[in-house]
Amino acid sequence: MSLLRSLRVCLVARTGSCPAGPLPLQSPQPWHAFHAGHWLSSASSKELLMKLRRKTGYSFVNCKKALETCGGDLKQAESWLHEKAQKEGWSKAAKLHGRKTKEGLIGLLQEGNSTVLVEVNCETDFVARNLKFQQLVQQVALGTMLHCQSLKDQLSTYSKGFLNSSELSELPFGPERKGSLKDQLALAIGKLGENMTLKRAAWVKVPNGFYVGSYVHGTMHSPSLHNLVLGKYGALVICEISEWKANLEELGRRLGQHVVGMAPLSVGSLDDEPGGETETKMLSQPYLLDPSITLGQYVQPQGVSVVDFVRFECGEEGEAAEAE
């Protein structure tokens, strides 16, 4: 049975009547009417779509629209997606502005003689565990690291600095320094749909004769976030050393644990008596891991001198956060 006869039989079955003449041939659809389906039919086009999704993380629908709009040009489609997401992100940021951001992550990054500690906040712990949010924390840490490394070295002693939310937002993004961290914040808000803030950052640079111990509590690791340690609390402890020792890393970690757990407000000195007004001075506090001795008594035989520290607690408010 011919195709035309089959169609006529089908029409008779549905309508109870048979067309008097031959079936009219429908004019072909204009190209744009079936462009999307036709474009995605080839294996190479589907491969482009999957590559764009993996590279940008945007939805199937948005990636398909980007490739259709840009005629299958992968690079142009990526730029189109980022531009659109940024515009939508700024719009969402304006709508969500003012919603409380109590959750988030502390990020720690160390490279050579430079160490940075950053805090990025969001509304829920669910988003804090999202890889895209963690990538934002990484971008903020890398931006702060570039800022730290661009500063003139103090060769004789350590240097330390802080960046508040507005200063952090204006830092250039990436090695090419195109755009700013506030642009990356807008992109993340557009993707994840929660209010977020770049709260603060601290950086430390040390010359020879100094060591920076570090500790992050509630640690999260991701294989895609190079050298970045994430958690809910973070501490840096700056020590002056007479010589390099094999146990310095472990010693620095224990000092960082003490700072996180005991929340001192100043270093103090080895001459401070424990108790009373000295309870907030680090060296006279009971050592976190052995309360029978003070931290000063633990440190003194180690051959190092604690000279400074930084402590971040995610979501903290009041004097501790404002002091930086």
Side-chain angles (χ1 to χ4, degrees):
M1 183 184 292
S2 68
L3 176 62
L4 182 59
R5 180 171 175 79
S6 299
L7 290 171
R8 289 170 66 87
V9 170
C10 180
L11 283 172
V12 170
R14 288 187 179 181
T15 65
S17 61
C18 183
L23 285 171
L25 293 174
Q26 293 186 354
S27 59
Q29 296 268 347
W31 180 82
H32 63 79
F34 61 90
H35 172 61
H38 174 75
W39 185 87
L40 283 173
S41 63
S42 70
S44 61
S45 299
K46 291 177 181 177
E47 186 179 342
L48 271 178
L49 178 58
M50 295 307 297
K51 187 178 290 186
L52 185 61
R53 286 197 71 194
R54 285 194 298 269
K55 196 169 185 181
T56 64
Y58 293 110
S59 69
F60 174 88
V61 172
N62 285 333
C63 289
K64 181 162 73 74
K65 186 176 180 181
L67 285 167
E68 290 170 359
T69 302
C70 300
D73 187 302
L74 187 65
K75 191 171 182 180
Q76 286 184 18
E78 186 179 351
S79 298
W80 184 90
L81 275 171
H82 285 315
E83 184 178 346
K84 184 176 177 63
Q86 188 168 314
K87 287 177 181 177
E88 291 181 356
W90 284 120
S91 174
K92 280 189 180 180
K95 291 177 183 177
L96 298 174
H97 180 72
R99 281 166 54 164
K100 292 184 178 181
T101 53
K102 296 283 190 178
E103 298 294 336
L105 288 171
I106 304 296
L108 167 72
L109 184 64
Q110 292 184 287
E111 288 186 5
N113 69 336
S114 303
T115 309
V116 301
L117 205 59
V118 302
E119 180 180 356
V120 182
N121 298 131
C122 56
E123 294 180 47
T124 65
D125 190 54
F126 176 78
V127 162
R129 295 194 300 269
N130 187 287
L131 179 60
K132 290 184 176 64
F133 179 80
Q134 294 173 7
Q135 288 170 336
L136 173 64
V137 182
Q138 180 188 42
Q139 290 163 350
V140 175
L142 288 171
T144 305
M145 179 63 73
L146 287 172
H147 169 75
C148 173
Q149 293 174 341
S150 69
L151 300 173
K152 189 175 180 181
D153 289 342
Q154 299 282 340
L155 296 179
S156 59
T157 187
Y158 75 96
S159 55
K160 179 181 76 169
F162 296 91
L163 297 168
N164 61 29
S165 181
S166 58
E167 293 167 335
L168 200 54
S169 297
E170 296 301 326
L171 287 184
F173 162 68
E176 297 179 0
R177 306 179 79 79
K178 292 181 180 179
S180 62
L181 287 177
K182 67 180 178 183
D183 297 326
Q184 299 306 308
L185 176 66
L187 286 169
I189 290 174
K191 288 179 181 179
L192 297 174
E194 271 198 13
N195 190 24
M196 300 174 199
T197 52
L198 311 181
K199 186 171 184 179
R200 54 180 171 166
W203 55 265
V204 173
K205 294 179 78 172
V206 295
N208 290 334
F210 286 83
Y211 178 77
V212 180
S214 62
Y215 175 71
V216 172
H217 185 72
T219 305
M220 304 179 192
H221 288 285
S222 173
S224 64
L225 304 178
H226 180 62
N227 288 343
L228 183 70
V229 184
L230 301 168
K232 295 296 184 179
Y233 299 80
L236 309 178
V237 182
I238 305 163
C239 301
E240 194 167 3
I241 59 175
S242 56
E243 60 179 346
W244 185 266
K245 295 185 176 182
N247 69 334
L248 267 180
E249 186 174 344
E250 177 62 20
L251 175 62
R253 189 179 72 85
R254 291 189 177 193
L255 293 176
Q257 281 180 317
H258 179 92
V259 170
V260 165
M262 299 297 288
L265 300 180
S266 63
V267 175
S269 74
L270 293 172
D271 297 327
D272 292 329
E273 293 293 330
E277 295 180 357
T278 65
E279 285 183 358
T280 61
K281 295 183 178 181
M282 181 179 175
L283 293 175
S284 61
Q285 289 179 324
Y287 175 38
L288 181 69
L289 302 180
D290 182 2
S292 67
I293 60 174
T294 65
L295 184 75
Q297 290 169 337
Y298 168 70
V299 169
Q300 195 170 22
Q302 309 287 342
V304 304
S305 299
V306 177
V307 295
D308 208 345
F309 67 89
V310 178
R311 181 185 186 273
F312 277 8
E313 178 180 339
C314 187
E316 72 181 326
E317 296 178 348
E319 294 180 4
E322 291 170 4
E324 282 94 36

